[in-house]
Amino acid sequence: MLLDPKIPPGPIEKKWEDYKFHMKLVNPANKRKYKIIVVGTGLAGSSASASLAELGYNVHTFTWQDSPRRAHSIAAQGGINAAKNYTNDGDSVQRLFYDTVKGGDFRAREANVYRLAQVSVNIIDQCVAAGVPFARDYGGLLENRSFGGTQVSRTFYARGQTGQQLLLSAYQSMMRQVGLGNVKLHTRREMLDVVVIDGKARGIIVRNLITGQMERHEADAVIMATGGYGRVFYLSTNAMGCNVTATWRAHKRGAYFANPCYTQIHPTCIPVTGSHQSKLTLMSESLRNDGRVWVPKKAGDKRAPETIPENERYYFLEERYPSFGNLVPRDVASRNAKDVCDKGMGVGGSGLAVYLDFADAIKRVGEPKIKEKYGNLFDMYFRITDENPYKTPMRIYPAVHYTMGGLWVDYNLQSSIPGLHVLGEANFSDHGANRLGASALMQGLADGYFIIPHTIGNYLAGANLPKVTPDHAAFKDAEATQRDMVNKLLAVKGKRPAIEFHRELGKIMWDKCGMARTEKSLKEALVEIPKLRERFWKDVNVLGGAGDLNQNLEEAGRIADFLEFGELLVYDALNREESCGGHFREEHATPDGEAQRDDENFCYVAAWEWKGTGKLPELHKEMLTFENVHLTQRSYK
Amino acid sequence: MNFTLRVWRQRNAADPGAFQEYQAKDILADMSFLEMLDEVNIDLVHKNQEPIAFESDCREGICGTCCQMIDGEAHGPETGTTVCQLFMRSFKDGETIVIEPWRARAFPIMKDLIVDRTAFDDIIAAGGFVTANVGGAQDGNNILIPKPDADTAMDAAQCIGCGACVAACPNASAMLFVAAKVSHLAHLPQGRPEKARRALAMVSKMDGLGFGNCRNHYECEAACPKEISVAHIAKMNREYGSAALLSDQDPSS
Ligand SMILES: Cc1cc2nc3c(=O)[nH]c(=O)nc-3n(C[C@H](O)[C@H](O)[C@H](O)COP(=O)(O)OP(=O)(O)OC[C@H]3O[C@@H](n4cnc5c(N)ncnc54)[C@H](O)[C@@H]3O)c2cc1C
Ligand code: FES
């Protein structure tokens, strides 16, 4: 079946304005009567909760964490893009739109990306008004820096803690509404199911993580902003609690999952050191503004980096991509790092690392300036590795970082279940097959502050929503399903902790469906994952009970979902017989090793419908058309 | 490396709790403190014993979730860091390490090392924001902000809300947490219109939630993983003092 993205008519520059004018509105006095559930308090969820409450809706917001401020958005380091053109270097809405479509390797929906570029400028204004302490120059104006995949400086930042400052400001705006009684906050609640009545999302089932009680919450519409699924790879730069549970459970109730195989491997992370590692640490892409990436020309050269003379160094990004140099997009930088390591030029104990060198930048601008820009990142690097990056180059390697895939949504950010809206990293919409740096924060706040407040009104005003109560049969059923799942996990009483299965799954995913994928490796993974899942359900040991705070149970439930979801991801990767962005099929490469798209056959969004465990999912296509940016082979040379 | 751990175990809020001893074996110097605990927990599950409950999320020192008293020090022996960014190379092989939860009246213990820090959210809800509804913002460059002001605001805004300041304070005061937010917003023109109201509302909320008084011990600054300066407390006292003087509101209401 072909999916309808509901893109409004008209020229791309006018679609959003015109559409807003034609939308149905909810009368201010009636807004209070509508109850909206928001799951997630990252940038997307907090900003949506705040802005919907400001409009007058009755908002209920949920997070599994102890406080909304802990959401994973807090960890974003580098910055947020906006087409302000404050630096006078030729930026515009059109250019941000173009860069994002091209960066995404022509697999994103043009109309969404254009709207994102348009509202980007409002985001910065809103954040400044709410007290975000963005970096300023001596004249008091906002500062910018550059990120990969662009040739302009459009990234706003707050030292190396941009995500923290943006999240705290959205959180504070939401907490203001909590204080005013317009948002009811439910912390330490894990959403386990969506309740669908008469074909519409009308509520959720959550587990109260303190008491273990299942709770039913009804609403007129549900918004999910539950983040990405990068931890299906076990090791990633994501926080420990990031999970696919909310989106996966919604998928099982009818929401299509789009492009799960589009995963982003970030080029600059601290390399893996051992099997005990629980996560990997990102060194922000902003470092590529001043750091130069290189390896020794001679394979197996073990000399200390400072002692290797200039002419024996291979600055592979600068040499291979002279016009973008160290600032090529992430997928390109990662693949090239892997390539030089595969050729034996990698450095460090494992040979799986390349240098990111600041010596030239320190010579040029001095150590204090570098400290001011990246001090906290350098400190973090030093703490983790015990090496001083002011004196010796950092060692870095690619790691799983972001997931472009997510629940399918139309132009209104509504999923294939009417009334269920999906925002932020949890949806698939704007980044195509590769996200450009500093664009996730932009998308999260665009969705929450500027898009959903309009589109949800249009939905509510036009939908027929008879009152439902929590004792509706659909709520009872959903609750029973979730109670059974919990009991089933506790009843296995096997021998092994859940985390060991997670580590095994991660290894399969990374080895067979990581930076490079082949038909053979993917087919192997499709055999191994179901076997691992079977072993999990025979041998996992979940200690403690259902009726209290039980972290083992929470973790096991999330891993059980990853064990199902991982299979869909691989299946999608196998289906997509082309290379694009972060999805690299070795069979489909240009002679010089770049991703080879197949626009003839794969210029579509793959949205998968759940058909039951052990059954093949059904593919629905949304055809992509490019009317404004012409389909070309991406080049950063 | 090998360690003996003395860990606080407490089933729930009502349970009196007690220390229990565990052995952490074959630990690498490059492991983080929490990865060391992960290994202990994996071992416990293999022995069919319930693992130690502790919280963490980002493991990068930014989300503020992790919180442990290690040998009596909030976030352990290193300065300017959280437990998730504490590495085992900071300890001596064979050492005994005592691990406890934050202890403060306003942060009740929920289980083992997990405490309830909702009180911090309540303080923010009382006034830790700028009233700036979405939609009406002017261009971000219209108001110039001198770089030193933006920098000082950022220094204060770095607070991760972990609660180490409260845990380290002999009176379990939340003064540094509150001061960091008051000072962050008072240093920016956008936060100034409601600075008096903000300081009054946040301080009175803090008092009402069971936090102790600040008696200038400054243990908070020493424990803060973001090294937020007590100078912000002085700034807050000025804001609060002038607000209380100017306001006809009773600050305790
Ligand atoms: C280390 C790092 C650095 C980054 N740096 C940048 C950067 O510089 N610029 C940039 O643009 N992007 C960056 N990103 C990406 C960006 O941070 C994320 O994509 C973005 O913050 C996601 O926001 P979100 O609101 O969609 O989700 P999140 O912030 O992940 O929030 C998810 C929320 O959902 C809740 N939740 C999840 N599941 C459930 C459930 N079942 N029940 C209840 N609640 C649930 C969580 O508690 C949380 O509140 C970075 C990412 C990482 C990992
Ligand atoms: S786990 Fe986030 S600060 Fe320690």
Side-chain angles (χ1 to χ4, degrees):
Chain A
M1 193 186 82
L2 285 184
L3 284 166
D4 176 10
K6 306 211 174 78
I7 299 169
I12 196 149
E13 312 81 43
K14 313 231 9 209
K15 281 182 195 296
W16 180 233
E17 269 321 300
D18 287 353
Y19 185 54
K20 276 196 290 187
F21 179 71
H22 288 105
M23 278 181 191
K24 296 190 200 79
L25 295 175
V26 178
N27 173 319
N30 281 338
K31 289 207 175 86
R32 191 71 209 151
K33 295 185 196 145
Y34 286 107
K35 178 170 162 189
I36 301 174
I37 283 176
V38 179
V39 188
T41 60
L43 283 187
S46 288
S47 58
S49 300
S51 46
L52 291 171
E54 286 164 10
L55 286 172
Y57 291 109
N58 173 13
V59 179
H60 283 242
T61 302
F62 295 78
T63 166
W64 63 263
Q65 276 150 320
D66 69 319
S67 161
R69 66 182 291 152
R70 314 269 186 236
H72 176 55
S73 293
I74 201 96
Q77 301 171 348
I80 177 166
N81 288 332
K84 282 286 198 186
N85 193 29
Y86 284 160
T87 50
N88 194 30
D89 55 2
D91 202 8
S92 60
V93 166
Q94 179 68 22
R95 187 175 296 280
L96 175 53
F97 162 65
Y98 173 83
D99 285 346
T100 308
V101 170
K102 176 183 170 199
D105 215 352
F106 303 91
R107 289 294 175 263
R109 190 189 287 151
E110 274 194 339
N112 282 53
V113 179
Y114 198 89
R115 174 177 64 183
L116 177 66
Q118 284 176 308
V119 302
S120 70
V121 295
N122 307 111
I123 295 173
I124 300 304
D125 300 340
Q126 176 60 28
C127 291
V128 168
V132 172
F134 282 122
R136 301 253 166 190
D137 64 18
Y138 281 102
L141 295 169
L142 290 156
E143 284 244 41
N144 286 119
R145 60 186 171 202
S146 307
F147 260 59
T150 67
Q151 288 175 315
V152 294
S153 237
R154 64 160 75 98
T155 306
F156 295 77
Y157 63 100
R159 294 196 191 143
Q161 291 118 291
T162 317
Q164 179 197 29
Q165 293 311 314
L166 296 177
L167 179 63
L168 291 182
S169 102
Y171 154 80
Q172 286 162 201
S173 295
M174 176 177 73
M175 292 313 289
R176 175 173 156 245
Q177 296 299 325
V178 171
L180 293 169
N182 301 329
V183 172
K184 170 90 181 88
L185 188 60
H186 305 257
T187 57
R188 295 194 191 269
R189 300 294 196 288
E190 181 165 31
M191 172 192 152
L192 297 178
D193 217 340
V194 186
V195 179
V196 181
I197 297 174
D198 297 332
K200 297 194 184 84
R202 295 306 302 270
I204 58 173
I205 303 292
V206 300
R207 182 167 175 273
N208 178 325
L209 300 182
I210 308 165
T211 63
Q213 295 284 318
M214 293 288 174
E215 298 174 356
R216 307 171 189 179
H217 296 271
E218 82 288 358
D220 295 295
V222 177
I223 294 173
M224 285 177 38
T226 51
Y229 51 81
R231 275 186 57 86
V232 68
F233 290 86
Y234 183 66
L235 281 183
S236 78
T237 62
N238 288 8
M240 305 300 289
C242 292
N243 66 84
V244 77
T245 291
T247 44
W248 187 244
R249 305 289 174 95
H251 174 62
K252 286 178 150 183
R253 291 281 174 199
Y256 298 167
F257 216 113
N259 302 333
C261 80
Y262 291 166
T263 51
Q264 177 164 81
I265 317 274
H266 196 294
T268 54
C269 303
I270 300 180
V272 177
T273 55
S275 63
H276 61 272
Q277 243 168 324
S278 53
K279 69 160 297 199
L280 298 173
T281 304
L282 175 75
M283 287 288 109
S284 166
E285 175 161 316
S286 58
L287 294 171
R288 287 198 271 143
N289 270 293
D290 288 300
R292 300 180 67 194
V293 179
W294 64 277
V295 287
K297 277 190 180 151
K298 203 164 81 221
D301 189 338
K302 293 283 169 215
R303 285 176 292 173
E306 307 81 40
T307 65
I308 299 180
E310 200 59 24
N311 61 358
E312 293 178 41
R313 298 176 176 194
Y314 183 20
Y315 293 94
F316 55 93
L317 292 180
E318 295 172 23
E319 288 184 29
R320 293 178 182 178
Y321 304 93
S323 56
F324 282 72
N326 292 298
L327 285 172
V328 290
R330 293 175 174 176
D331 54 334
V332 178
S334 291
R335 264 198 301 280
N336 279 280
K338 178 177 188 294
D339 178 62
V340 293
C341 291
D342 289 350
K343 295 193 167 114
M345 287 178 270
V347 298
S350 63
L352 290 178
V354 300
Y355 291 125
L356 180 62
D357 197 339
F358 296 90
D360 287 349
I362 290 174
K363 234 181 272 158
R364 196 176 63 241
V365 298
E367 197 173 307
K369 185 75 197 166
I370 294 294
K371 199 179 206 121
E372 185 190 313
K373 274 173 140 171
Y374 313 114
N376 71 319
L377 299 172
F378 277 47
D379 290 350
M380 188 152 50
Y381 184 85
F382 173 66
R383 254 199 306 277
I384 293 173
T385 62
D386 213 16
E387 286 179 359
N388 179 352
Y390 293 102
K391 300 273 172 267
T392 186
M394 287 184 177
R395 271 179 289 120
I396 50 154
Y397 198 67
V400 174
H401 177 61
Y402 180 87
T403 54
M404 282 75 67
L407 291 182
W408 184 85
V409 289
D410 63 15
Y411 189 75
N412 299 298
L413 305 181
Q414 181 160 276
S415 73
S416 53
I417 303 176
L420 179 68
H421 300 77
V422 191
L423 319 184
E425 192 172 342
N427 76 22
F428 89 104
S429 70
D430 296 357
H431 309 293
N434 174 58
R435 175 175 70 80
L436 291 182
S439 288
L441 301 182
M442 170 173 73
Q443 184 220 335
L445 290 180
D447 289 0
Y449 279 143
F450 295 107
I451 299 168
I452 197 70
H454 300 287
T455 59
I456 209 159
N458 189 45
Y459 169 74
L460 292 170
N464 173 23
L465 296 163
K467 197 170 164 47
V468 298
T469 60
D471 41 53
H472 190 286
F475 274 98
K476 286 189 188 153
D477 282 355
E479 183 184 324
T481 310
Q482 296 315 323
R483 204 182 290 283
D484 287 350
M485 167 88 172
V486 164
N487 292 335
K488 209 171 122 195
L489 282 167
L490 291 168
V492 180
K493 293 197 190 309
K495 296 243 165 342
R496 298 177 58 203
I499 186 178
E500 293 186 357
F501 296 94
H502 197 179
R503 284 178 179 169
E504 277 188 58
L505 174 67
K507 190 164 163 30
I508 300 173
M509 298 301 298
W510 180 250
D511 290 347
K512 313 247 146 120
C513 192
M515 259 191 287
R517 304 159 174 184
T518 63
E519 182 180 344
K520 179 168 167 289
S521 71
L522 295 169
K523 285 191 167 153
E524 285 165 4
L526 285 178
V527 174
E528 290 171 29
I529 297 169
K531 279 195 189 146
L532 178 63
R533 189 165 65 225
E534 208 172 298
R535 278 197 284 127
F536 171 88
W537 282 106
K538 282 203 184 103
D539 205 19
V540 70
N541 189 7
V542 185
L543 290 159
D548 56 11
L549 202 167
N550 186 344
Q551 293 178 311
N552 308 298
L553 180 61
E554 295 163 29
E555 184 188 31
R558 292 172 193 163
I559 294 171
D561 289 338
F562 279 134
L563 284 164
E564 290 182 350
F565 169 72
E567 196 178 349
L568 179 69
L569 195 164
V570 175
Y571 192 70
D572 183 44
L574 184 64
N575 172 70
R576 192 164 283 278
E577 284 276 358
E578 64 164 351
S579 293
C580 54
H583 169 66
F584 192 71
R585 288 282 302 265
E586 282 183 2
E587 303 93 333
H588 305 286
T590 62
D592 50 357
E594 304 293 337
Q596 176 81 64
R597 286 197 326 264
D598 175 354
D599 294 328
E600 191 91 5
N601 296 300
F602 288 95
C603 200
Y604 65 76
V605 176
W608 299 96
E609 181 182 355
W610 169 257
K611 291 280 168 186
T613 319
K615 298 216 177 88
L616 290 182
E618 185 180 338
L619 175 64
H620 301 277
K621 295 180 183 175
E622 177 197 332
M623 302 315 289
L624 294 170
T625 48
F626 292 87
E627 289 161 359
N628 299 279
V629 185
H630 294 292
L631 278 164
T632 50
Q633 157 86 33
R634 244 180 2 157
S635 169
Y636 293 95
K637 295 225 150 130
Chain B
M1 301 168 103
N2 296 305
F3 300 96
T4 302
L5 309 180
R6 283 174 56 74
V7 184
W8 186 260
R9 300 299 304 261
Q10 180 174 336
R11 294 191 61 80
N12 51 43
D15 181 46
F19 281 105
Q20 276 193 31
E21 229 171 75
Y22 301 93
Q23 300 302 318
K25 296 211 181 86
D26 305 324
I27 300 301
L28 306 173
D30 281 343
M31 281 185 184
S32 72
F33 196 82
L34 299 185
E35 285 168 350
M36 181 275 294
L37 285 179
D38 288 342
E39 295 303 317
V40 171
N41 274 346
I42 289 174
D43 202 42
L44 284 174
V45 177
H46 279 292
K47 291 183 189 145
N48 215 27
Q49 294 173 25
E50 212 183 302
I52 302 159
F54 68 90
E55 286 190 298
S56 75
D57 200 32
C58 72
R59 296 205 174 182
E60 288 186 8
I62 191 76
C63 72
T65 306
C66 63
C67 54
Q68 298 177 15
M69 283 307 248
I70 298 168
D71 292 333
E73 289 184 275
H75 292 302
E78 304 286 341
T79 55
T81 195
T82 51
V83 264
C84 62
Q85 286 286 293
L86 177 65
F87 288 81
M88 295 315 289
R89 62 181 94 89
S90 299
F91 296 87
K92 283 201 286 295
D93 189 20
E95 236 183 294
T96 297
I97 307 173
V98 181
I99 311 174
E100 292 171 84
W102 284 172
R103 296 194 191 271
R105 188 151 64 101
F107 291 162
I109 298 175
M110 303 176 78
K111 183 174 185 175
D112 297 348
L113 305 173
I114 302 180
V115 299
D116 181 357
R117 289 169 286 183
T118 314
F120 272 7
D121 292 325
D122 295 342
I123 293 175
I124 297 294
F129 46 75
V130 175
T131 299
N133 278 4
V134 179
Q138 59 173 331
D139 188 275
N141 259 345
N142 275 3
I143 301 180
L144 299 180
I145 304 180
K147 186 169 158 51
D149 288 353
D151 286 347
T152 311
M154 183 63 203
D155 290 341
Q158 294 192 73
C159 168
I160 59 174
C162 65
C165 46
V166 177
C169 173
N171 302 318
S173 166
M175 205 56 131
L176 189 60
F177 171 78
V178 174
K181 189 48 62 192
V182 167
S183 176
H184 156 208
L185 296 176
H187 273 100
L188 298 173
Q190 291 81 3
R192 263 172 226 146
E194 52 192 331
K195 65 179 184 168
R197 198 168 156 249
R198 176 181 309 118
L200 290 175
M202 291 181 77
V203 170
S204 77
K205 190 68 182 180
M206 167 179 76
D207 291 343
L209 286 167
F211 291 101
N213 288 326
C214 172
R215 301 247 185 272
N216 305 324
H217 288 280
Y218 298 154
E219 295 289 342
C220 49
E221 183 185 84
C224 176
K226 295 293 146 186
E227 302 182 306
I228 292 175
S229 160
V230 291
H232 296 292
I233 296 184
K235 168 88 178 159
M236 180 179 84
N237 285 338
R238 281 198 302 280
E239 298 297 336
Y240 183 78
S242 52
L245 274 178
L246 290 175
S247 162
D248 47 5
Q249 282 173 278
D250 174 358
S252 62
S253 71

